[in-house]
Amino acid sequence: MFNISDGLFVVTAREGEKDNGCVTNTVVQVTDSPLRVSVTINKANYTHGMVERTGKFNVSILSQDAKFETFKHWGFQSGANVDKAIGITFSRADNGVIYITEGVNAVLCCKVVQSVDLGTHSTFIADVEDCFCVNDS
């Protein structure tokens, strides 16, 4: 199992005026037509509730050049206690959700079409409504 190739991603969401996000390794393309992905998020994660309630999220696909600070910022603190939009460089996609721009290869802008309850986690299946490469050099 450890030979399966995985990437790392920052999944971001926006609810009201609050931006948030988390690090995950569970973004997978599930269909080509329509273009759909799935992401699995722990229910205890603040981002989970935001995605569940708003039905949209963005995925920043991290490059090998992503700095450890990126992982610390998005993965070692909770958006319930910290404003994760402070202290980072980001842009806002047409869907209103932020995405990070440093240490990123590409971005997926997604709309949830189905969710699957896995007990401690949920898998969100989403249409990719927009996707683009990010040149962070």
Side-chain angles (χ1 to χ4, degrees):
M1 291 301 290
F2 290 109
N3 290 325
I4 295 174
S5 176
D6 285 319
L8 288 173
F9 315 90
V10 173
V11 175
T12 49
R14 180 171 178 84
E15 184 174 27
E17 296 301 312
K18 182 154 178 80
D19 296 299
N20 192 51
C22 64
V23 174
T24 185
N25 66 348
T26 60
V27 177
V28 178
Q29 180 181 344
V30 292
T31 62
D32 184 25
S33 182
L35 185 54
R36 284 192 175 147
V37 296
S38 69
V39 62
T40 301
I41 303 174
N42 189 313
K43 289 180 181 179
N45 191 305
Y46 190 74
T47 306
H48 175 279
M50 294 176 78
V51 171
E52 185 175 52
R53 290 184 296 272
T54 66
K56 61 184 177 178
F57 61 90
N58 289 346
V59 176
S60 298
I61 302 171
L62 299 177
S63 71
Q64 290 182 340
D65 298 329
K67 297 180 176 147
F68 182 69
E69 290 301 315
T70 300
F71 301 101
K72 278 179 54 179
H73 183 86
W74 295 100
F76 294 3
Q77 56 189 349
S78 173
N81 306 317
V82 174
D83 186 343
K84 291 188 182 182
I86 293 176
I88 61 153
T89 303
F90 66 86
S91 290
R92 194 170 300 280
D94 289 343
N95 66 358
V97 178
I98 66 171
Y99 61 92
I100 62 173
T101 58
E102 295 179 353
V104 173
N105 288 325
V107 175
L108 309 175
C109 302
C110 303
K111 180 180 178 184
V112 176
V113 296
Q114 182 179 358
S115 64
V116 179
D117 187 336
L118 303 173
T120 59
H121 293 65
S122 294
T123 295
F124 298 102
I125 300 167
D127 285 340
V128 176
E129 295 187 319
D130 193 14
C131 55
F132 47 91
C133 293
V134 175
N135 182 359
D136 71 337
S137 53

